[in-house]
Amino acid sequence: IAGITQAPTSQILAAGRRMTLRCTQDMRHNAMYWYRQDLGLGLRLIHYSNTAGTTGKGEVPDGYSVSRANTDDFPLTLASAVPSQTSVYFCASSFSGGATDTQYFGPGTRLTVL
Amino acid sequence: GQNIDQPTEMTATEGAIVQINCTYQTSGFNGLFWYQQHAGEAPTFLSYNVLDGLEEKGRFSSFLSRSKGYSYLLLKELQMKDSASYLCAVRDNDYKLSFGAGTTVTVRA
């Protein structure tokens, strides 16, 4: 593994189903983030984690949950998917989440909820 | 809250120069980032400004004026591979990024 990986690459999901998007980084970054990207709206922060064991809410957290059991993994769960959650989801990581930080993005997961 | 504006689309000719403007009104400011995103791919980091002035990095330069809430990304000697979306992002006092909707640049031969 080099950098950030996400799985699956794409998924079609029936409304009401539960889905977990996976994100793994091997850069030993402390901070990780989940964004969704919708046409005309840009990237919006869903949840973040500044370090293993801690999480926080972003701009659009409703309907999503995250966990950060270790440094490398930051899964995003949709407990009961709805069509408005159709989007492209990007995971990102940065060294510290602080002042001199740059975020690096994974390749994305394209999710369609029918 | 954050309000970040940038043009939706721009078109330019190969070899030319294009300037992408970004204006912002944010509740806090801790730096401004520019990312490049090719269609179907992840955003990749281009530049970072936290102090007023111009940062130059090869064919790409980024400028910031904090008093005016204004930045621009300058792309010189345009190449076909520069066709992409360019995202302006502002970092707030909690070190979280807020993104503009992006500017799609099309380079024509």
Side-chain angles (χ1 to χ4, degrees):
Chain A
I1 297 178
I4 304 176
T5 58
Q6 293 184 235
T9 302
S10 65
Q11 181 76 43
I12 299 174
L13 190 65
R17 297 297 296 269
R18 180 184 178 89
M19 176 74 191
T20 295
L21 308 185
R22 299 184 298 279
C23 175
T24 299
Q25 54 97 6
D26 65 354
M27 298 180 284
R28 308 305 295 172
H29 282 174
N30 290 309
M32 298 185 75
Y33 313 83
W34 273 106
Y35 293 89
R36 60 179 289 173
Q37 187 174 38
D38 302 291
L39 196 63
L41 293 178
L43 287 155
R44 292 181 292 168
L45 183 65
I46 304 171
H47 285 288
Y48 65 92
S49 169
N50 285 333
T51 189
T54 69
T55 62
K57 294 182 179 180
E59 180 185 354
V60 288
D62 293 344
Y64 306 95
S65 63
V66 291
S67 60
R68 187 87 185 278
N70 57 62
T71 298
D72 298 345
D73 301 300
F74 191 42
L76 176 74
T77 297
L78 289 67
S80 179
V82 295
S84 61
Q85 292 177 311
T86 294
S87 187
V88 181
Y89 291 86
F90 286 101
C91 179
S93 71
S94 64
F95 182 66
S96 67
T100 59
D101 238 15
T102 298
Q103 293 185 21
Y104 297 92
F105 287 80
T109 294
R110 184 174 296 274
L111 182 68
T112 302
V113 182
L114 301 176
Chain B
Q2 320 289 45
N3 187 24
I4 301 166
D5 290 317
Q6 50 182 131
T8 303
E9 294 179 335
M10 301 183 75
T11 301
T13 305
E14 198 173 13
I17 297 173
V18 69
Q19 177 174 314
I20 306 169
N21 296 325
C22 173
T23 58
Y24 62 90
Q25 294 173 310
T26 58
S27 56
F29 182 83
N30 236 313
L32 188 143
F33 292 78
W34 285 96
Y35 281 82
Q36 181 190 59
Q37 186 178 25
H38 285 100
E41 297 183 8
T44 56
F45 170 74
L46 281 180
S47 69
Y48 167 66
N49 295 70
V50 67
L51 300 176
D52 290 353
L54 188 69
E55 293 283 342
E56 297 189 83
K57 207 185 265 191
R59 294 188 298 114
F60 293 0
S61 304
S62 57
F63 172 83
L64 175 67
S65 168
R66 289 172 296 171
S67 62
K68 295 182 179 178
Y70 168 70
S71 173
Y72 68 72
L73 180 70
L74 195 69
L75 286 63
K76 293 178 275 190
E77 301 170 16
L78 278 173
Q79 302 176 9
M80 299 300 289
K81 67 179 181 180
D82 297 330
S83 292
S85 286
Y86 292 86
L87 314 179
C88 173
V90 173
R91 184 163 59 195
D92 62 21
N93 290 335
D94 291 327
Y95 305 119
K96 300 300 173 286
L97 290 182
S98 292
F99 285 82
T103 300
T104 299
V105 172
T106 301
V107 181
R108 298 178 304 188

